[in-house]
Amino acid sequence: MTTKFFLLSFSLLITAAAGAGGRWQVLQKSIGVSAMHMQLLRNDRVIMFDRTNFGKSNLSLPRGICRRNPNDTALKVDCTAHSVEYDVASNSFRPLMLFTDSWCSSGSVSPNGSLVQTGGWKDGQIRVRLFEPCSTCDWVEIESALTHPRWYATNHILPDGRIIIVGGRAQPNFEFFPKIKEGEGSITVPFLDETKDAVEDNLYPFVFLNVDGNLFIYANNRAILLNYVTGETVKTYPTIPGGDPRSYPSTGSAVLLPLKVQNGTAEEAQVLVCGGAPLGSYNKALNKGIFLDALNTCARMTITDPNPRWTLETMPGPRVMADMTLLPDGNVLIINGASQGSAGWDLGRGPVLNPVLYKTENPAGSRFETMNPTSIPRMYHSTAALLRDGRVLVGGSNPHKGYEFSSVLFPTELSVEAFYPEYLNPEFSDVRPTVRAPKSQQVVGYGQKVQIEFSISGKLAAQSLFASMICPSFSTHSFSMNQRSLLLPIDNVVSARNLTFQAQLTMPSDPNLAPSSYYLLFVVHQYIPSEATWIRIA
Ligand SMILES: *[C@@H]1O[C@H](CO)[C@@H](O)[C@H](O)[C@H]1NC(C)=O
Ligand SMILES: *[C@@H]1O[C@H](CO)[C@@H](O)[C@H](O)[C@H]1NC(C)=O
Ligand SMILES: *[C@@H]1O[C@H](CO)[C@@H](O)[C@H](O)[C@H]1NC(C)=O
Ligand SMILES: *[C@@H]1O[C@H](CO)[C@@H](O)[C@H](O)[C@H]1NC(C)=O
Ligand SMILES: *[C@@H]1O[C@H](CO)[C@@H](O)[C@H](O)[C@H]1NC(C)=O
């Protein structure tokens, strides 16, 4: 097959998934810890954690271990866990030990597959915590690893393998981890000061690595393109239409839409920002108990355009604190959140139980489709993550200072559930590919032509075949850091024995497109994805 089929295949998304609905399943009624932060690792285990400064969780540490931290602001001796490892395959979990406070922190997976979590509050604010993906591993903390306190910051993996940590409360600057030279400090970004309003609507900025190697940073109601090597702003984008804030605490969400890679390269990148709260919403909720309707718009922009402009689209309803998750079929799932109020303790109302599918390639005006609802409100401090099997794992929701299970509007949620997009329906089993090669954890090179093998039990429609490569993200506060999807054409398809096909993929040739990391590789046939196989690009 040649690449022209690939172009054709994108236009077919228009007719795909008509009458979608999806379904829900509660996986665990309680994992004992509310999943404020979530990250899938390459061993199909999901690391989840909350904060440590509020008292006991509902999960004991193993073997009678207790955390004895005189600097904890609530319990000096705490024998409960504030982090868990959830094993997708066995639907089981185990407690993990966090020593210092990881409240409202940030994270990234480094190229070797370990989770690097940065900052938090008080005794945790300049810490880095590492978690190696292994079934007996636990958190290892590095003291004084950051130069500045990082609370509500955003991380991104860089083409050189380092992690950039952007902003945070009262920190209009960025720094890197690991440091490469002695005394390496932070670099100031005036934009992060300029976008700070009365309620600091510029926290947890939406940060994406652009295809040109610069960083796109969205905060409050506008964005810049930053050269992080020099600290210079290389482009200033227009203010979002309407001018209302979209970042924390007026929490909307954002994704870098799938990059279409042809012959190893991609010239274009688009960003989609959805929901948020109108200016003043946070203060009205906090001081007056008035819960304003959330914003009901998304704004989309080609950030690589010489004259970029936002285009506004209207969602089926208002939404604040939603998560946006890239699906392997190229669409975006908008999930979790509320219809009124703002992020912050007890400031959200009107849970939105229906996810909404955003069909990226449909014409404007026909992109949104409402999915079947869950029964569990996922308000402030909820999370979502794509799994290797194509489900979306959902957890968290705790709008309170501590764990509250009664006499509150939205009790602390310790449950985890999965949303099954319609592509997982059994009626698509004839169409769904099964990937035979590459084998799990195969290392591929930049620009390399990689042989793949997959089987399909029904008839192959080669014109509707592509691969998607997704970088699992660190989800917290309605933003998924490092979330990235690359769509690759599948070339030279030949029918091998039986129902098996061999074909070729050309990997991205540039780490600006795909920083070295572990990715989920899905084969997508007629918009029905396979289970992914893990690959590592290096
Ligand atoms: C958590 O523990 C508290 C106190 O023991 C209990 O009241 C509550 O029902 C538990 N919640 C869950 C979801 O297990
Ligand atoms: C508690 O904080 C003090 C002051 O920052 C520090 O010197 C000490 O090592 C901390 N204790 C622990 C157990 O981390
Ligand atoms: C993985 O990378 C991180 C970040 O560079 C580093 O701190 C950690 O030690 C590495 N882990 C291993 C097992 O090499
Ligand atoms: C694909 O890229 C390679 C290396 O960048 C180049 O040599 C080749 O001509 C390109 N092929 C097409 C069809 O664009
Ligand atoms: C085709 O598949 C069947 C059933 O899995 C198997 O018995 C047979 O040996 C396969 N034939 C070839 C040529 O691989």
Side-chain angles (χ1 to χ4, degrees), residues 85-274:
E85 180 199 64
Y86 173 77
D87 179 18
V88 177
S90 63
N91 185 24
S92 61
F93 57 93
R94 66 182 178 100
L96 301 175
M97 161 72 107
L98 274 175
F99 189 70
T100 58
D101 200 1
S102 53
W103 186 17
C104 301
S105 59
S106 47
S108 265
V109 172
S110 74
N112 63 15
S114 57
L115 174 56
V116 176
Q117 181 275 338
T118 53
W121 195 59
K122 295 269 174 153
D123 67 343
Q125 66 188 0
I126 58 168
R127 289 232 165 177
V128 167
R129 305 172 191 81
L130 295 177
F131 187 93
E132 303 289 346
C134 102
S135 60
T136 55
C137 291
D138 210 330
W139 289 103
V140 174
E141 304 204 5
I142 310 174
E143 283 176 49
S144 308
L146 302 177
T147 59
H148 285 69
R150 300 290 169 186
W151 198 33
Y152 300 87
T154 299
N155 295 13
H156 208 292
I157 182 78
L158 297 173
D160 70 357
R162 289 212 287 172
I163 291 159
I164 189 167
I165 305 130
V166 181
R169 190 148 264 172
Q171 296 302 334
N173 55 56
F174 63 87
E175 65 181 287
F176 303 98
F177 181 85
K179 308 287 179 208
I180 45 175
K181 51 181 191 280
E182 190 74 24
E184 183 184 313
S186 295
I187 300 179
T188 298
V189 188
F191 171 75
L192 291 175
D193 231 1
E194 293 154 17
T195 48
K196 188 171 138 185
D197 59 19
V199 299
E200 295 181 82
D201 270 318
N202 65 351
L203 299 176
Y204 280 126
F206 307 141
V207 177
F208 302 110
L209 178 65
N210 191 14
V211 295
D212 67 0
N214 290 310
L215 274 193
F216 175 88
I217 304 179
Y218 180 100
N220 195 328
N221 59 9
R222 54 198 193 269
I224 56 164
L225 197 60
L226 177 82
N227 177 334
Y228 61 81
V229 180
T230 61
E232 279 169 304
T233 296
V234 295
K235 195 176 209 161
T236 301
Y237 292 96
T239 300
I240 204 161
D244 287 308
R246 308 274 184 160
S247 41
Y248 184 93
S250 296
T251 305
S253 191
V255 288
L256 178 70
L257 289 172
L259 301 173
K260 295 173 189 173
V261 181
Q262 291 282 2
N263 194 26
T265 66
E267 307 284 316
E268 191 184 275
Q270 296 186 42
V271 163
L272 179 70
V273 177
C274 290

Side-chain angles (χ1 to χ4, degrees), residues 343-379:
W345 279 326
D346 293 305
L347 301 183
R349 293 291 183 276
V352 185
L353 301 175
N354 299 78
V356 165
L357 192 63
Y358 179 84
K359 296 178 176 176
T360 313
E361 294 296 317
N362 272 16
S366 61
R367 290 189 179 137
F368 297 97
E369 192 173 346
T370 301
M371 302 283 106
N372 287 323
T374 176
S375 58
I376 305 173
R378 299 288 175 180
M379 309 294 282

Side-chain angles (χ1 to χ4, degrees), residues 89 120 269 287 290 351 355 397 401 449 510:
N287 303 323
I290 295 170
S397 187
K401 282 189 184 173
K449 298 213 184 300
D510 183 348

